[in-house]
Amino acid sequence: MGYVLKKSIDIFNVKLSKRENSHSGLYGQRKYKLLKSLLQSISRYNQVTIVYSSTSRKGMVNISTAIEMIPQLTRGLAVTISVLIASAFIAYIVAFIAGLSKISKSILLRKFTGVYVEVFRGTSLIVQLFWLYYAIPMLFNIQLGSNWWIGVIAIGLNYGSYMSEVVRGSILAVDKGQIEASIALNMTRYQRMRLVILPQAIRMMIPDFGNYTIQIMKATSLVSLIGMRDILYYGDIMRSSNLSQAPLIYVVVLLMYFILALPFVWLTRKGESIAKKGVASQ
Amino acid sequence: MSEQSVKDIEKINTLNTEQIVKYRNVTKSFGDFHVLKGINLDIYSGEKVAIIGPSGSGKTTIIRMLMTLEEPTSGDIIVDGKNLWKMKRNGTSIPANEKHISELRGNIGMVFQHFNLFPHMTILENCMVAPIHVKKEDKKEVQERSIQMLERVGLGNKLNFYPSQLSGGQKQRVAMARALVMRPKIMLFDEVTSALDPELVGEVLEVIRDIAHNDDMAMILVTHEMDFALDVADKVLFLDQGVIIEQGTASEVLEHSKNERVQAFLRRFRKI
């Protein structure tokens, strides 16, 4: 629906300027009325308040207009946050599974994980998203679920591949003496991992995991491309109904993402200071 | 015969005659570098053995193989009558699996040069983690025993400190308490004072001396502290270039050795 709206406004603008230049007043006037009623009906359908460009051009940046935009945009907040939480959760789990598989004894498991990581790290997230959304259902006749699930899975798998390297690197960075000490205490492989290595490795992972979580938050905006109504989607809708307000709209959208990121920035800082305490060996 | 060597012989006579560890033709190579070239060694239960020798002679490798941190290239290490690195299945000898190794490893404890305390646990937790999870002992009982052990090494007032809050000497004493709580039959000490500031060496040696005199476990000490070896060890081995050149009572090796290489090494040491 957003697409139709955008197109019609484009036509509307072109015709408007033509009218002014070529003095073909009557034709333009009629066209103007026609488009106006078309836009009104569309806007009713979409429940979007349309502010006509001819009137809003006068007051470009206006705090009160910006504040008026916020309720519109917050309608996308639920989707953005739910996609963020779910895809971050999947990314963490995938990161641990893949990270641990990469250091496992089994060559097959290591190779398989290696292929997964390279494929998902080496290709674009948007293309992966479109693959899951358009290509997979066509090729294999599998429905992966709603577009919410497809977005969550694509982002989760993509960031999981990056974060698996963090998991692997942190585990390998634990001092060798720690493993020797746990062998000397006769711990099993599993106990060594659970009691000694992971608690220290996880402390090292915290800063990187924080950074990746912020990146995931920003990546959630891509789900607007597969029809999810998140913050960016509503921003686009507003822009397409009101082209001249685009700068202000996107400033407000950016600010909303920035505010969403703040808790993670804070948590990462906090995590870093915790991480410093428990690791330094010797 | 000197008074010291008479004392040493008496010491040996009172020992249990059961061999708890036997090395038979054990070799170890890292690529082309032959670290150990055929080690034969008997250690009796309760015996205190010091291994000395120039650096790079393979001293540490001997005890690391017993702790299962390195696998010997060839030869057998027998612990408590069983082959550490090999097991029998259907009459043939095959490389030992994790379960077999873990059974024998329970007899052995080790203290490292760099302490290797777990930095994310308090010192009390450091002592308690293995008995609870590995030996599945009662938590209350383990806690009492760990506190006793930490008091014994003089750290009873720092139970809830983290390793990063302690000095090197204190960390090494915690490492000893952690190993002792597991009640091993054999304790290995790998140059435990080499990473310490000189003024902290004494407190650590004092604890080892206490363990050596009061506990009946066998001890193998890789050390550069000659005077300490003379005081504590029943038997001293001199290792050079992967071969045991001389072994005997502490005074035989450290005071009355006829071997030129041993004498040269000790002279170098005394000069410093």
Side-chain angles (χ1 to χ4, degrees):
Chain A
M1 212 17 112
Y3 179 73
V4 176
L5 202 61
K6 183 169 174 285
K7 266 290 165 234
S8 50
I9 285 172
D10 286 345
I11 297 164
F12 171 72
N13 278 348
V14 170
K15 287 299 167 195
L16 212 62
S17 52
K18 257 192 185 160
R19 181 176 62 98
E20 282 158 6
N21 292 336
S22 66
H23 306 286
S24 58
L26 200 66
Y27 172 76
Q29 207 64 302
R30 205 180 299 149
K31 194 85 178 173
Y32 179 86
K33 272 182 185 154
L34 191 73
L35 271 165
K36 190 174 170 180
S37 66
L38 176 71
L39 286 174
Q40 271 167 345
S41 63
I42 291 168
S43 70
R44 262 199 299 281
Y45 185 80
N46 257 326
Q47 300 171 327
V48 174
T49 323
I50 291 185
V51 187
Y52 294 103
S53 43
S54 50
T55 51
S56 62
R57 261 195 201 118
K58 288 165 195 161
M60 274 286 284
V61 178
N62 188 327
I63 299 285
S64 65
T65 343
I67 290 170
E68 276 164 28
M69 284 171 187
I70 293 173
Q72 292 279 352
L73 293 171
T74 47
R75 289 156 67 197
L77 206 58
V79 169
T80 296
I81 291 177
S82 68
V83 171
L84 164 64
I85 291 172
S87 51
F89 188 68
I90 290 182
Y92 293 170
I93 290 174
V94 167
F96 270 90
I97 294 173
L100 289 169
S101 301
K102 272 209 134 181
I103 51 168
S104 90
K105 277 183 180 171
S106 152
I107 299 170
L108 198 74
L109 201 57
R110 283 207 305 269
K111 289 263 187 266
F112 178 80
T113 322
V115 169
Y116 153 72
V117 169
E118 291 316 319
V119 166
F120 274 85
R121 210 167 48 159
T123 59
S124 139
L125 174 55
I126 303 177
V127 181
Q128 288 163 20
L129 198 64
F130 287 171
W131 244 86
L132 291 179
Y133 190 61
Y134 297 112
I136 298 250
M138 271 177 77
L139 285 177
F140 307 105
N141 208 14
I142 312 170
Q143 283 302 324
L144 291 169
S146 65
N147 44 10
W148 185 85
W149 272 110
I150 289 170
V152 163
I153 290 170
I155 298 171
L157 286 178
N158 184 278
Y159 280 90
S161 69
Y162 282 98
M163 293 162 89
S164 72
E165 288 296 299
V166 176
V167 172
R168 189 185 71 100
S170 303
I171 289 174
L172 294 181
V174 173
D175 183 42
K176 291 277 171 294
Q178 295 290 309
I179 300 164
E180 294 187 349
S182 53
I183 292 175
L185 291 169
N186 206 10
M187 290 184 190
T188 62
R189 251 179 90 85
Y190 173 72
Q191 284 170 335
R192 275 176 239 158
M193 190 52 91
R194 183 170 65 92
L195 299 168
V196 176
I197 299 169
L198 274 183
Q200 294 179 55
I202 287 172
R203 282 171 167 80
M204 290 189 242
M205 292 173 206
I206 290 172
D208 281 338
F209 265 51
N211 281 330
Y212 276 116
T213 308
I214 294 168
Q215 287 199 36
I216 290 174
M217 196 270 300
K218 293 179 288 184
T220 58
S221 61
L222 293 177
V223 298
S224 64
L225 296 171
I226 56 166
M228 291 295 298
R229 299 178 171 202
D230 70 337
I231 294 176
L232 182 61
Y233 171 87
Y234 284 105
D236 276 338
I237 294 284
M238 285 170 71
R239 192 236 14 199
S240 50
S241 62
N242 191 352
L243 286 176
S244 65
Q245 287 287 0
L248 184 59
I249 291 167
Y250 287 125
V251 164
V252 177
V253 169
L254 281 179
L255 270 174
M256 286 183 73
Y257 279 110
F258 182 73
I259 291 166
L260 273 181
L262 284 179
F264 297 105
V265 173
W266 183 78
L267 276 174
T268 307
R269 290 244 175 85
K270 194 96 181 147
E272 272 173 51
S273 63
I274 295 170
K276 268 182 205 144
K277 276 176 196 162
V279 197
S281 64
Q282 287 158 36
Chain B
M1 203 177 269
S2 75
E3 202 183 316
Q4 176 70 35
S5 43
V6 172
K7 221 176 90 193
D8 287 338
I9 290 165
E10 278 171 1
K11 237 180 182 176
I12 288 172
N13 287 341
T14 58
L15 286 171
N16 195 329
T17 48
E18 182 206 345
Q19 292 149 317
I20 189 144
V21 178
K22 288 189 272 189
Y23 286 70
R24 291 291 175 264
N25 299 316
V26 177
T27 68
K28 175 71 188 174
S29 312
F30 294 106
D32 285 340
F33 180 52
H34 304 292
V35 186
L36 295 174
K37 302 161 186 162
I39 299 293
N40 286 292
L41 174 61
D42 290 327
I43 292 157
Y44 296 85
S45 21
E47 195 177 21
K48 323 296 181 206
V49 179
I51 304 177
I52 59 167
S55 62
S57 58
K59 307 184 294 286
T60 294
T61 311
I62 290 186
I63 61 172
R64 282 175 64 84
M65 287 191 303
L66 184 56
M67 193 66 262
T68 69
L69 299 174
E70 313 271 3
E71 194 170 346
T73 309
S74 70
D76 297 306
I77 300 176
I78 317 291
V79 177
D80 219 3
K82 288 179 197 129
N83 200 322
L84 180 60
W85 287 100
K86 287 167 193 162
M87 56 192 266
K88 283 224 157 66
R89 187 167 286 168
N90 304 327
T92 54
S93 181
I94 58 167
N97 61 16
E98 187 61 31
K99 188 170 168 277
H100 174 92
I101 289 176
S102 146
E103 246 166 57
L104 293 177
R105 189 159 54 199
N107 294 314
I108 308 162
M110 183 162 176
V111 183
F112 297 87
Q113 185 177 358
H114 295 288
F115 334 127
N116 298 346
L117 294 179
F118 304 135
H120 56 295
M121 300 179 189
T122 65
I123 65 170
L124 182 60
E125 287 165 349
N126 262 282
C127 293
M128 288 170 61
V129 62
I132 290 173
H133 289 98
V134 177
K135 295 178 98 180
K136 315 279 183 220
E137 290 179 324
D138 176 60
K139 198 177 167 182
K140 260 243 156 70
E141 201 270 322
V142 169
Q143 182 167 0
E144 266 170 39
R145 209 165 78 216
S146 301
I147 293 173
Q148 269 173 18
M149 207 55 88
L150 284 168
E151 277 167 357
R152 182 177 170 186
V153 299
L155 292 166
N157 56 342
K158 296 203 153 54
L159 298 178
N160 294 317
F161 280 49
Y162 283 87
S164 56
Q165 296 167 289
L166 302 181
S167 73
Q170 289 171 328
K171 283 185 206 172
Q172 196 57 293
R173 286 185 276 152
V174 174
M176 278 186 249
R178 180 175 72 174
L180 286 170
V181 172
M182 290 292 275
R183 294 178 168 147
K185 292 183 189 163
I186 310 149
M187 270 277 268
L188 312 176
F189 297 83
D190 181 15
E191 304 195 22
V192 291
T193 56
S194 302
L196 297 176
D197 292 336
E199 77 267 26
L200 302 176
V201 170
E203 61 186 66
V204 171
L205 293 183
E206 204 45 57
V207 173
I208 302 177
R209 197 172 276 132
D210 168 48
I211 301 168
H213 289 153
N214 296 312
D215 291 32
D216 53 5
M217 70 189 88
M219 288 166 56
I220 306 178
L221 303 117
V222 170
T223 185
H224 286 128
E225 307 282 337
M226 299 304 155
D227 295 333
F228 179 70
L230 192 63
D231 179 24
V232 168
D234 302 314
K235 183 159 82 185
V236 173
L237 309 178
F238 184 87
L239 199 69
D240 193 15
Q241 295 174 1
V243 182
I244 297 177
I245 291 185
E246 185 156 14
Q247 59 176 308
T249 64
S251 76
E252 271 170 16
V253 177
L254 295 173
E255 288 175 337
H256 308 289
S257 174
K258 303 268 186 305
N259 187 299
E260 262 178 49
R261 272 197 275 178
V262 179
Q263 282 175 346
F265 173 76
L266 291 173
R267 257 201 314 277
R268 253 200 331 271
F269 232 87
R270 299 250 154 82
K271 255 184 220 161
I272 304 163

